[in-house]
Amino acid sequence: MEAGGVADSLLSGACVLFTLGMFSTGLSDLRHMRIARRVDNVQFLPFLTTDVNNLSWLSYGTLKGDWTLIVVNAVGAMLQSLYILVYLHYCPRKAKVIQTKSTQRLSFSLTIATLLASASWTLYGFRLRDPYIMVPNLPGILTSFIRLWLFWKYPQAQDRNYQLLQT
């Protein structure tokens, strides 16, 4: 193996090691939430932004075929998703749609618009064979289908603040 190859391998290993170390710092928050059974001062936004960042870099690594990017960001995305799930489990303000079994707080028109926009951009990217257009729009399609499932599972109740007119 030539000197450049060894240096590249060492640098790749260091990137993976240090980045996984950084991602694992959330394990202390995870431990705290599980022991305390509440979120206390644990912040949600860093988990979410890091997860989005990991998924973006994972997509890029996949497109590029770079296994260093793929491995480290797949592990990072799994850890961040785990942190998010535990946070949501112990957060006192749970998802209102599931808690109330009502989709009144969701916008059906926004769901349809998001699905159509994301699907059309994905198809456009597919037609151009441009993964940089396709991949970022896939989450919009996925989340739209999840919201449509919620509308199916928890249909919006009719407005009951009116009385029927007697004829």
Side-chain angles (χ1 to χ4, degrees):
M1 186 179 266
E2 51 186 66
V6 172
D8 287 349
S9 293
L10 289 173
L11 182 57
S12 173
C15 288
V16 170
L17 180 68
F18 294 138
T19 305
L20 291 178
M22 180 184 69
F23 294 152
S24 68
T25 60
L27 291 171
S28 62
D29 288 333
L30 180 76
R31 183 174 178 266
H32 171 76
M33 290 184 285
R34 292 206 51 206
I35 290 172
R37 297 194 160 299
R38 58 184 188 270
V39 295
D40 287 338
N41 292 326
V42 176
Q43 298 297 312
F44 178 77
L45 193 57
F47 296 147
L48 180 62
T49 56
T50 305
D51 202 14
V52 169
N53 188 34
N54 287 142
L55 292 171
S56 298
W57 279 105
L58 177 59
S59 297
Y60 179 69
T62 302
L63 293 172
K64 201 172 173 205
D66 185 325
W67 283 100
T68 301
L69 290 174
I70 292 170
V71 169
V72 76
N73 287 291
V75 172
M78 287 188 299
L79 283 173
Q80 299 305 317
S81 297
L82 174 65
Y83 302 154
I84 288 170
L85 290 172
V86 171
Y87 183 94
L88 292 174
H89 179 73
Y90 291 116
C91 181
R93 295 176 302 230
K94 298 195 186 301
K96 294 289 184 187
V97 171
I98 295 170
Q99 185 180 20
T100 63
K101 295 184 176 16
S102 169
T103 53
Q104 276 185 308
R105 296 180 179 185
L106 290 180
S107 169
F108 187 78
S109 59
L110 179 60
T111 300
I112 296 299
T114 301
L115 177 62
L116 293 174
S118 297
S120 63
W121 276 107
T122 301
L123 290 172
Y124 180 73
F126 182 77
R127 176 76 176 107
L128 295 178
R129 293 189 174 120
D130 187 346
Y132 295 104
I133 296 173
M134 278 188 299
V135 173
N137 286 287
L138 293 175
I141 295 171
L142 177 65
T143 58
S144 294
F145 279 123
I146 291 170
R147 286 180 291 185
L148 287 171
W149 177 80
L150 288 170
F151 278 109
W152 173 79
K153 183 155 177 70
Y154 306 120
Q156 289 184 340
Q158 295 295 323
D159 185 13
R160 292 190 172 91
N161 293 330
Y162 66 89
Q163 292 181 349
L164 294 175
L165 295 174
Q166 299 297 323
T167 56

